[in-house]
Amino acid sequence: MTRLDNDGASSDTDQRSAVRTLVATVYAATNARSVDIAEEMITRTISEIDEVTTDLHLVQLLTACAEAATSLSLAMLEPDRDTEPMPIAMSEYARVLAQRGLPITVLDRGYRLTHNTILRWCLEQLETLGTDPAVVAQAAVEIMTRLSTQIDGLYEQMLDTYELEYETWLRHRSTARSARIGDLLDGRPVDLTAAESTLGYQLDQFHLGLIAWIEPGGTAHDLPAFERAVTALAEHLGCRERPLFEPRDERTVWAWLPLGSNAHVDVAGWTTAVEKWDQPITVALGAPQHGVAGFVRTHRQAAQATVVARASNVSGPRVVPIGLVGAVALMCEDLDSARRWVRDVLGPLAVDDSTAALHRQTLRTFFSTGGSYTAAAAALTMHKNTVIYRIHKIEELLGKNVREGRLELENALALCYWLGTAVLDSGTTTTE
């Protein structure tokens, strides 16, 4: 093979000429292998980017895109060649990636593979064709500069195309997804396969519906905060799939957590996790329900829990599960009546002051531990005799044994616990 650089070149002009000649020869040699280069790019992309591998249409577009990128990039090694606009094949590949909802990292990885593959082929040819180290070094810099300019320019154009199409896709997807959710919740007939495709969510499983909102004082338009909160709850439950996330307005979102075959969830540990959130987000939870009917049912339960949480006027972050507030939710429809009923049942214990609150806590714990003084004392971390004294004092205030009408007392205490000032008397009274 003929060596094209001049080992004896001494002048700058001669060296520049030798570099120019060597670059042109590298172009000719590499361009003759453009089909092989494109095939390698396609093979590497398919093997390294799973999202492309499973989509035949994307593979076809990738083939045309790789061929166009190779041809146009190598053309930059021709003398006096200017950068050129992006071919239609590359634009179409970027558009379809966006329409598939694939992340921009797919485009980025494709760009890096393209740059790496073409540059490596050129440098291998350069090593074969050049002998003068100085000329080879200058030619390498020239080749890398020209290729980077062209490939970077093509990538920027593809990126612009992708981002524009992705924004359009997001708007359309959001509209379509909201419509499908509305159809499901309203009981309209839907094609389940098409609905699952639109939602990106499986309906034939157990769901845990939730409604989350951010209280006044939090940052509106902060969807990432909502997504972090929902994702944290899903991770706590060990969900294997992504939750279905539906923004309703700047301060409210609906979501469904995919439970798979798990019909039971333990929310006991959620309080500690929720308290660490950096926004005052309140989450109202339904109960696990299965299938399309369960998708609707758990959402409606979350809506019932929402009524309780909003009526309480207690700021977040916190979680309000329907399993703990079901009976309370039914009484929230008429708070005035609920307030009067609480006053009738609890009497002086229905006052909004610290002493009455202490009595309510003691009695609620006493009931929740099965009416055991010993268990209540352990739960309250106090001496058993103190619990006995408090229960006797409560009975004096109520004028009856606490085991009489226990169900009413428990319901009234639950209303006070969840609704707080919404059902308590603002006046004061002596309860010592």
Side-chain angles (χ1 to χ4, degrees):
M1 183 177 292
T2 303
R3 302 291 184 176
L4 295 171
D5 54 306
N6 184 358
D7 291 339
S10 57
S11 70
D12 290 341
T13 301
D14 290 342
Q15 189 175 53
R16 285 196 297 270
S17 177
V19 168
R20 186 181 180 88
T21 301
L22 181 56
V23 170
T25 306
V26 168
Y27 161 70
T30 309
N31 192 52
R33 304 290 303 277
S34 61
V35 173
D36 296 330
I37 297 173
E39 287 182 353
E40 180 179 329
M41 287 167 52
I42 295 166
T43 300
R44 290 186 63 186
T45 302
I46 291 175
S47 64
E48 296 182 30
I49 305 178
D50 294 337
E51 295 90 338
V52 175
T53 307
T54 56
D55 191 318
L56 178 60
H57 183 47
L58 274 181
V59 172
Q60 294 171 338
L61 291 174
L62 170 64
T63 301
C65 179
E67 292 171 351
T70 301
S71 176
L72 203 56
S73 297
L74 291 176
M76 277 297 293
L77 300 182
E78 291 186 280
D80 305 318
R81 186 69 177 261
D82 294 328
T83 57
E84 297 187 17
M86 176 175 57
I88 294 176
M90 299 182 72
S91 174
E92 185 66 11
Y93 180 64
R95 282 196 327 104
V96 174
L97 284 179
Q99 292 169 356
R100 293 286 193 275
L102 296 177
I104 201 169
T105 52
V106 173
L107 194 63
D108 183 66
R109 281 181 286 169
Y111 152 73
R112 297 181 188 281
L113 284 173
T114 298
H115 190 281
N116 175 269
T117 302
I118 296 177
L119 181 59
R120 182 171 54 78
W121 274 77
C122 288
L123 293 180
E124 287 175 353
Q125 292 299 318
L126 180 62
E127 182 182 14
T128 301
L129 297 171
T131 57
D132 185 337
V135 173
V136 170
Q138 287 296 317
V141 171
E142 184 75 12
I143 288 171
M144 287 188 288
T145 300
R146 292 189 187 186
L147 286 178
S148 295
T149 298
Q150 178 65 29
I151 296 174
D152 288 354
L154 291 174
Y155 175 69
E156 290 297 328
Q157 294 177 67
M158 291 182 74
L159 191 60
D160 289 343
T161 300
Y162 172 91
E163 289 178 341
L164 181 62
E165 191 68 26
Y166 191 71
E167 289 177 3
T168 302
W169 175 80
L170 282 178
R171 288 195 297 270
H172 290 169
R173 186 189 69 163
S174 178
T175 300
R177 184 177 60 187
S178 296
R180 293 295 78 74
I181 290 174
D183 289 340
L184 290 167
L185 296 180
D186 292 339
R188 288 188 286 268
V190 296
D191 182 322
L192 295 184
T193 301
E196 288 181 335
S197 176
T198 299
L199 298 175
Y201 182 86
Q202 182 182 346
L203 293 169
D204 185 21
Q205 64 174 322
F206 281 94
H207 320 277
L208 183 64
L210 67 85
I211 297 174
W213 63 95
I214 198 164
E215 303 288 354
T219 304
H221 301 291
D222 194 5
L223 288 181
F226 281 119
E227 290 188 285
R228 288 194 299 271
V230 171
T231 300
L233 296 180
E235 290 176 349
H236 178 80
L237 292 178
C239 296
R240 296 183 178 180
E241 304 294 334
R242 294 178 59 185
L244 175 58
F245 186 82
E246 173 70 355
R248 301 303 297 171
D249 57 45
E250 65 181 22
R251 290 186 178 276
T252 309
V253 300
W254 295 350
W256 286 261
L257 306 186
L259 302 180
S261 60
N262 185 13
H264 304 283
V265 296
D266 179 13
V267 299
W270 286 20
T271 301
T272 302
V274 167
E275 288 175 349
K276 299 177 182 178
W277 292 350
D278 57 2
Q279 290 285 355
I281 297 174
T282 299
V283 178
L285 289 175
Q289 305 287 348
H290 186 270
V292 174
F295 181 90
V296 177
R297 176 62 179 154
T298 189
H299 173 74
R300 291 178 177 170
Q301 289 176 325
Q304 289 179 303
T306 298
V307 174
V308 176
R310 289 192 180 278
S312 68
N313 294 319
V314 177
S315 62
R318 64 176 182 147
V319 172
V320 181
I322 189 62
L324 298 179
V325 301
V328 176
L330 298 176
M331 304 186 72
C332 283
E333 297 180 3
D334 187 349
L335 280 177
D336 287 338
S337 296
R339 189 180 301 109
R340 289 192 294 270
W341 182 78
V342 167
R343 187 187 306 124
D344 290 342
V345 174
L346 296 181
L349 270 62
V351 175
D352 184 19
D353 66 23
S354 59
T355 302
L358 190 62
H359 288 321
R360 290 194 300 271
Q361 179 192 25
T362 301
L363 184 56
R364 193 163 185 265
T365 304
F366 180 68
F367 285 149
S368 68
T369 54
S372 166
Y373 293 111
T374 302
L380 293 167
T381 61
M382 61 178 59
H383 196 277
K384 175 181 176 182
N385 289 341
T386 303
V387 175
I388 294 173
Y389 170 79
R390 287 188 183 177
I391 295 298
H392 288 166
K393 183 64 179 180
I394 289 169
E395 289 177 335
E396 288 180 15
L397 293 168
L398 295 176
K400 63 179 181 181
N401 188 300
V402 294
R403 300 181 193 278
E404 297 176 14
R406 174 174 172 172
L407 180 59
E408 281 193 334
L409 286 172
E410 286 189 288
N411 286 333
L413 289 169
L415 279 169
C416 294
Y417 178 81
W418 289 106
L419 301 182
T421 58
V423 293
L424 293 172
D425 278 342
S426 59
T428 59
T429 187
T430 300
T431 56
E432 291 291 352

